[in-house]
Amino acid sequence: MKFSTASVLAVAALVATGSHAFTPSHNIQLVRPLSMSTAEAPTDIEERKPTKKEKRLEYIKSPTFHRQGFKDVRESVEKSMGEQFKSGLVDELKSNNFVVRKDGVTVHLAKDFGFCWGVERSIALAYEAVEHFPGKKVHITNELIHNPEVNDRLHDMNVQFIEKVDANKKDFSSVGDGDVVILPAFGASFEEMSLLHSKNVDIVDTTCPWVSKVWNTVDKHQKEGLTSIIHGKYAHEETVATVSFCEDYICVKDMKEAEMVADYILNGGDKEKFLKHFEKAVSKGFDPDTMLSKVGLANQTTMYKKETRAIGQLMQKTMMKKFGPVDAKDHYQEFDTICDATQERQDAIHDLVEKADELNLDFILVVGGWDSSNTAHLLEIPQKRGVRSFHINKAECIGADNTITHRTMSGDIVTEKFIEDIENKDRELVIGVTSGASTPDKAVQDSLSSIFLLKKMRSS
């Protein structure tokens, strides 16, 4: 597996879009009526507070802020990543029309699966940072991605994970003068970036460009005087970072909560009850009576794309009903912030589910971190269609006693009997498999190898 310079630098095309339009030439503006001549202009200058995006762009321009990686160690990092993540079995599947038969098991691999380029880039930047700064203490503000193998590897590389004091606060006291701090793929909050900018540290930013795109969107909301409706989980690291760049916002985790917001826009209601339900998912001082008349939609990049679009249609219809079809456009705006990689993986498992009966699938295996939002949404697709499916985070979840430990849609971790009629050596096992955007091919290979071995041993 080779991660080219293009993969690492792909951020430029996406992030650059819109960046110059918002880059301030200065943070001081002379405020005077348009008809006033220069001679009549007041001598005092009114200072305009820079926006959070303007401040972030200021931080990025610092010589100690690194986003492009380190060429001096790139070759060795590419080799290391290939050794850690490459899978001969997955390569065989891809070269054989995504199907392989082995030890009484037929495997159908989803056409789009596994690592996205944003995750590859994030890992490469983090690994390069460790090698580029030998002898320096390296920290990371959160898990790099939601994958246990990758985060364990960073621990092995002596990267220090910033300690969480509670759900929303971290202890940065361990970050010393001259240290290196890695920002994970989910990004970091505006407050964390400001704190680190004030310290004498090197910052390595591995934030996925799609996440940055969402930040640009909520900045547009602010400029238009809109309240941001974020389709996402308020406690997820990415959403925590996104809302930190908002002024007024409310997070909705699903269509049910979006319908609650739409109903309040149209009919009002019990304000206290509404705020109690969303108490952890709204901006400070949020007032639904005044802050929901003009809204804009954005989303956590790993959410279910069809649900985000359905929420968008709901909000559009709500504003049309409230303000009429002509004026609705002044009260609702929508920008596409759904990650292509997330959608491609969702479409691929949807295709697999559509063919489940035709292929005679016994079940679909979804491999990825248990706290990975994009992987959890992959499980929802077969589950909602009644196709037997399991979400595991590593091969060790498959037991030699024919049990499987997996995460359910509700988030519970359970153990149950795995393969039905496994002792029947004449019966071929047929399975589908996919993996989340933060899951390396090697994790898929290890999981499938466990199934091959289990079937071979129990059938003999």
Side-chain angles (χ1 to χ4, degrees), residues 316-328:
Q316 187 177 43
K317 290 178 181 177
T318 298
M319 291 309 186
M320 289 178 68
K321 190 172 183 179
K322 178 80 171 179
F323 300 103
V326 175
D327 295 330

Side-chain angles (χ1 to χ4, degrees), residues 320-373:
M320 289 178 68
K321 190 172 183 179
K322 178 80 171 179
F323 300 103
V326 175
D327 295 330
K329 66 180 183 301
D330 297 324
H331 296 269
Y332 176 71
Q333 291 188 25
E334 181 178 326
F335 304 91
D336 185 5
T337 58
I338 298 171
C339 170
D340 286 346
T342 296
Q343 180 58 32
E344 288 163 359
R345 281 146 188 75
Q346 291 173 1
D347 289 344
I349 193 171
H350 177 79
D351 291 344
L352 205 55
V353 168
E354 288 290 312
K355 298 176 182 177
D357 290 337
E358 176 188 338
L359 298 174
N360 198 28
L361 296 183
D362 289 280
F363 59 85
I364 292 177
L365 188 70
V366 180
V367 186
W370 278 337
D371 50 359
S372 166
S373 177

Side-chain angles (χ1 to χ4, degrees), residues 169-220:
K169 293 183 179 179
K170 299 171 188 171
D171 181 7
F172 285 90
S173 62
S174 61
V175 179
D177 194 60
D179 287 355
V180 178
V181 182
I182 298 171
L183 308 184
F186 317 108
S189 71
F190 175 75
E191 292 76 19
E192 290 176 357
M193 292 180 71
S194 297
L195 172 65
L196 293 171
H197 180 71
S198 69
K199 292 176 173 285
N200 180 30
V201 296
D202 281 282
I203 300 172
V204 180
D205 182 15
T206 80
T207 304
C208 174
W210 279 100
V211 175
S212 301
K213 183 180 179 182
V214 179
W215 297 350
N216 292 338
T217 294
V218 298
D219 181 75
K220 292 177 183 177

Side-chain angles (χ1 to χ4, degrees), residues 377-433:
H377 289 301
L378 293 179
L379 177 71
E380 291 177 7
I381 295 172
Q383 285 281 305
K384 289 180 177 180
R385 292 288 296 273
V387 177
R388 193 168 186 241
S389 44
F390 305 97
H391 173 190
I392 65 173
N393 69 341
K394 51 187 175 181
E396 287 75 11
C397 291
I398 299 169
D401 58 349
N402 192 30
T403 60
I404 185 167
T405 300
H406 63 103
R407 184 186 185 277
T408 66
M409 273 182 59
S410 62
D412 297 324
I413 308 300
V414 300
T415 301
E416 62 179 271
K417 183 179 178 181
F418 185 25
I419 301 173
E420 304 291 343
D421 195 25
I422 192 172
E423 286 82 9
N424 186 350
K425 64 180 180 180
D426 296 323
R427 180 180 178 277
E428 183 182 39
L429 179 67
V430 184
I431 66 175
V433 64

Side-chain angles (χ1 to χ4, degrees), residues 290-305:
T290 61
M291 295 179 178
L292 291 176
S293 62
K294 293 181 67 177
V295 301
L297 181 67
N299 71 293
Q300 182 182 312
T301 59
T302 56
M303 297 301 283
Y304 191 31
K305 182 173 183 177

Side-chain angles (χ1 to χ4, degrees), residues 420-456:
E420 304 291 343
D421 195 25
I422 192 172
E423 286 82 9
N424 186 350
K425 64 180 180 180
D426 296 323
R427 180 180 178 277
E428 183 182 39
L429 179 67
V430 184
I431 66 175
V433 64
T434 190
S435 55
S438 53
T439 307
D441 291 353
K442 184 65 163 53
V444 174
Q445 174 175 301
D446 292 345
S447 300
L448 291 176
S449 295
S450 294
I451 294 174
F452 295 152
L453 182 59
L454 180 63
K455 172 65 174 170
K456 185 176 182 179

